[in-house]
Amino acid sequence: MSGFKTFAVAGAGAIGSLIVDELLREKAASKVDKVVVLTRSAAGNDALVAQGAEPIVVDYDSSASLQSALHGIDVVISTVTTAALSVQEPLGDAAKAAGVKLFVPSEFGGDTTGRTDGLFGIKNAQRLRLKQIGLPWAMFITGTFADRIWYVPRLGFDIANGKIEVGGTGDRLASFTSRRDIARYVVHVLTSLPASKLHDHVVKVEGERTTVNRVLAGYEARTGKKLDITHIPLEELQERGKNLPFNIQYLLASILELGGTNGPEDEMNVEWPEFKPQTVVEAILSFKP
Ligand SMILES: NC(=O)c1ccc[n+]([C@@H]2O[C@H](COP(=O)([O-])OP(=O)(O)OC[C@H]3O[C@@H](n4cnc5c(N)ncnc54)[C@H](OP(=O)(O)O)[C@@H]3O)[C@@H](O)[C@H]2O)c1
């Protein structure tokens, strides 16, 4: 047992809401005492309250606001959106000042350790900053979300309407994990491993290691539905989105085509050998918007 009983999730969006959900299951089982959700808005939190979470409205520009919200919290799990990663600096400082024992930064993707480029570089720098301020961290490397990405047309994947644009060959191995499985793994690890094992610890989670082409073929075989699949060179995707503030289709395609996997297979899911994740096709079929 980690001994961690009180948790704050900062920004309960695409991944954070599922982590909150899993924490609330543990609260219902009396393994967790308190689940706080840090949010910028008082509106729209009724469902969280009904489930047993405690939303606290915070101002990320106010140290006093953050410290007050984190009073008595053992673990902060940051799931803030990609565009707002900078709020992790005041959040980390406030967590340290409030006596938080562990900080989980908003990673939940490819391995950012040692990276200096782009989004991965920003995430790595944020984590290194936690080390500088002396706040223990645990990071979760998960690969690409296995469920939601296939339903997002701006990523090139519109599986609901049978239309798919694959960036590059689609033949490269990549790591995928469904958001529900990520949430299950995060909460299992944070509530069951000894705290000492979690300090400055890189956790590698992997639902399935496969290629985009294999996923699409598996989906067609399982459903009997024929997909309209176009392959677009990565350079063309880069050029097409060059005037966008965030060329998200190119970013995802380059992660899937060039990013590789989470690392050697024997480094995956080691903290929870009994973990039984979904395959990517199962994650696609069970996805609920
Ligand atoms: N592996 C993958 O395939 C994959 C895919 C997507 C994301 N990710 C990663 O997962 C992490 C979380 O992403 P997500 O998609 O779950 O996030 P998200 O749903 O876009 O947003 C999460 C929360 O961030 C808060 N937020 C938004 N703008 C903010 C701002 N300006 N300042 C402070 N808070 C703000 C919001 O909470 P409130 O409105 O309640 O404050 C929001 O609910 C990121 O690190 C992202 O890079 C990975």
Side-chain angles (χ1 to χ4, degrees):
M1 295 287 279
S2 68
F4 297 141
K5 292 282 188 185
T6 54
F7 294 82
V9 177
I15 184 65
S17 59
L18 293 179
I19 292 175
V20 169
D21 201 46
E22 290 297 323
L23 284 169
L24 290 173
R25 282 175 203 247
E26 295 302 301
K27 184 166 178 268
S30 302
K31 284 169 76 182
V32 160
D33 291 343
K34 188 173 182 174
V35 182
V36 161
V37 176
L38 307 186
T39 175
R40 294 162 304 151
S41 165
N45 297 320
D46 294 353
L48 287 172
V49 175
Q51 285 174 280
E54 298 174 39
I56 300 184
V57 177
V58 292
D59 174 359
Y60 286 100
D61 291 326
S62 161
S63 173
S65 155
L66 292 170
Q67 279 190 52
S68 154
L70 296 178
H71 181 73
I73 294 295
D74 294 332
V75 182
V76 169
I77 306 171
S78 171
T79 57
V80 293
T81 196
T82 309
L85 290 171
S86 61
V87 304
Q88 294 191 118
E89 291 188 17
L91 185 61
D93 290 340
K96 175 76 182 162
V100 165
K101 296 169 187 152
L102 188 75
F103 192 101
V104 176
S106 190
E107 291 270 350
F108 311 109
D111 191 350
T112 63
T113 50
R115 295 284 291 263
T116 53
D117 54 309
L119 172 63
F120 280 31
I122 295 169
K123 289 187 172 185
N124 188 43
Q126 294 276 328
R127 187 175 47 80
L128 291 176
R129 195 175 174 282
L130 295 170
K131 206 171 179 65
Q132 280 162 11
I133 65 171
L135 181 55
W137 52 266
M139 74 188 273
F140 290 82
I141 301 303
T142 63
T144 300
F145 293 170
D147 50 343
R148 189 165 173 260
I149 59 160
W150 308 97
Y151 293 87
V152 183
R154 70 194 171 94
L155 296 177
F157 297 149
D158 185 8
I159 211 158
N161 293 305
K163 210 165 162 42
I164 299 287
E165 270 186 1
V166 178
T169 66
D171 271 335
R172 305 283 166 80
L173 277 178
S175 300
F176 295 87
T177 315
S178 74
R179 288 172 306 142
R180 175 60 71 183
D181 283 335
I182 295 170
R184 288 172 55 228
Y185 204 98
V186 167
V187 172
H188 176 84
V189 162
L190 294 179
T191 54
S192 54
L193 252 67
S196 59
K197 281 208 168 175
L198 288 168
H199 283 190
D200 300 359
H201 185 60
V202 179
V203 179
K204 294 188 174 180
V205 189
E206 186 176 76
E208 189 181 6
R209 177 173 298 215
T210 186
T211 71
V212 170
N213 289 343
R214 276 190 220 157
V215 169
L216 298 174
Y219 174 87
E220 288 182 328
R222 177 86 173 260
T223 61
K225 292 180 187 162
K226 183 87 188 118
L227 296 168
D228 173 6
I229 303 171
T230 317
H231 286 260
I232 314 268
L234 282 183
E235 306 72 40
E236 193 178 323
L237 286 184
Q238 189 172 25
E239 180 63 22
R240 206 204 271 175
K242 69 177 182 201
N243 294 323
L244 296 173
F246 195 39
N247 190 353
I248 185 75
Q249 185 176 359
Y250 171 70
L251 178 70
L252 176 64
S254 50
I255 287 172
L256 294 175
E257 190 70 2
L258 310 172
T261 64
N262 290 348
E265 286 190 81
D266 60 2
E267 292 180 6
M268 303 300 121
N269 310 332
V270 291
E271 298 81 4
W272 189 11
E274 302 80 18
F275 177 52
K276 286 198 177 29
Q278 292 179 299
T279 64
V280 182
V281 171
E282 285 166 351
I284 294 173
L285 296 177
S286 63
F287 174 72
K288 292 187 192 70

